[in-house]
Amino acid sequence: GENVEQHPSTLSVQEGDSAVIKCTYSDSASNYFPWYKQELGKRPQLIIDIRSNVGEKKDQRIAVTLNKTAKHFSLHITETQPEDSAVYFCAARGMDSSYKLIFGSGTRLLVRP
Amino acid sequence: DVKVTQSSRYLVKRTGEKVFLECVQDMDHENMFWYRQDPGLGLRLIYFSYDVKMKEKGDIPEGYSVSREKKERFSLILESASTNQTSMYLCASSLRSYEQYFGPGTRLTVT
């Protein structure tokens, strides 16, 4: 089955700097890769996703890149702000599991003012 | 607006008790999921359901069962609660296989 590894587990950056979180997946048939943000005490919420027929997607200060050959995808946050502080989860959906998402272990991002 | 609710935010139960966690969504979604969230382990899938009365095991189903009698409601049952089931439990729903919408979570403590 699908396995998703996420790094780093914690990340501390200065406000205004960029942050990058990386994930690798095992199932080469996976075709959908969402990123969820979970603020302290709140529920996870989708912030961006990418499908396997696209290499990059941007939404304002966040972007996701996908390298299908290497089976990894990354979340990029530019011009970080204190409100970006949260736990971020990557996930992958494999072709053999139409409804399931397999989540990474999470990255705790701290943006220092 | 999308809405997924869970019956309790905090729950304290004793070892051996039968525990029911309920999740309700108002979006007419086919798919519903139960996860547990533990530090450093991310979100691990316990069970999911893609239709009424249909269920499939996730990655960690041992010690749990589920019930989905109505489309909007998905219940997680701990048959005999144990201390290693102390965790945050998150319910989610999705339309077909895309974005999952999460509930606020239930923090369960088993003593």
Side-chain angles (χ1 to χ4, degrees):
Chain A
E2 176 68 278
N3 183 52
V4 177
E5 294 191 358
Q6 183 171 349
H7 299 281
S9 56
T10 60
L11 180 60
S12 180
V13 300
Q14 194 70 38
E15 182 177 357
D17 287 350
S18 295
V20 180
I21 302 170
K22 298 181 180 181
C23 289
T24 59
Y25 60 97
S26 59
D27 186 351
S28 57
S30 290
N31 63 356
Y32 174 66
F33 307 92
W35 285 88
Y36 284 79
K37 174 184 180 182
Q38 185 178 29
E39 297 177 19
L40 189 62
K42 297 190 176 180
R43 68 191 76 189
Q45 290 191 301
L46 180 72
I47 55 171
I48 194 167
D49 57 15
I50 191 167
R51 300 181 194 279
S52 57
N53 58 348
V54 175
E56 184 176 3
K57 184 177 179 180
K58 288 183 179 180
D59 183 3
Q60 299 183 336
R61 295 186 298 107
I62 61 172
V64 57
T65 58
L66 172 66
N67 183 327
K68 287 192 295 181
T69 303
K71 292 190 287 186
H72 68 69
F73 56 111
S74 300
L75 178 71
H76 304 255
I77 306 175
T78 59
E79 301 173 16
T80 53
Q81 301 168 3
E83 52 264 38
D84 295 328
S85 295
V87 177
Y88 292 81
F89 294 99
C90 64
R93 177 169 65 90
M95 289 296 291
D96 62 338
S97 304
S98 299
Y99 309 103
K100 293 194 313 183
L101 290 176
I102 305 302
F103 284 85
S105 54
T107 296
R108 183 173 299 278
L109 174 64
L110 174 65
V111 179
R112 305 187 306 274
Chain B
D1 194 19
V2 167
K3 194 170 184 181
V4 181
T5 58
Q6 295 182 227
S7 50
S8 305
R9 290 302 304 271
Y10 300 94
L11 209 52
V12 180
K13 295 292 182 180
R14 293 191 180 274
T15 300
E17 279 193 85
K18 192 168 186 177
V19 181
F20 292 87
L21 304 181
E22 290 203 326
C23 176
V24 177
Q25 50 94 4
D26 65 356
M27 298 163 286
D28 202 33
H29 284 174
E30 292 96 342
N31 304 319
M32 297 188 74
F33 309 83
W34 275 106
Y35 296 90
R36 64 176 283 176
Q37 181 176 16
D38 300 289
L41 297 178
L43 301 170
R44 293 182 293 166
L45 183 65
I46 304 171
Y47 267 97
F48 68 103
S49 168
Y50 51 91
D51 202 352
V52 175
K53 296 189 186 296
M54 305 301 288
K55 61 186 179 185
E56 285 198 27
K57 294 180 180 179
D59 299 317
I60 52 165
E62 296 79 17
Y64 303 94
S65 63
V66 291
S67 172
R68 193 168 181 198
E69 296 297 319
K70 293 184 177 182
K71 190 175 186 179
E72 67 270 18
R73 189 180 299 269
F74 192 35
S75 300
L76 180 69
I77 304 154
L78 286 66
E79 297 291 342
S80 177
S82 64
T83 55
N84 62 12
Q85 292 179 309
T86 291
S87 187
M88 171 68 82
Y89 290 89
L90 287 164
C91 173
S93 72
S94 75
L95 184 63
R96 296 185 179 87
S97 57
Y98 298 113
E99 180 178 358
Q100 292 190 12
Y101 296 88
F102 285 85
T106 296
R107 184 164 295 282
L108 173 67
T109 302
V110 182
T111 62

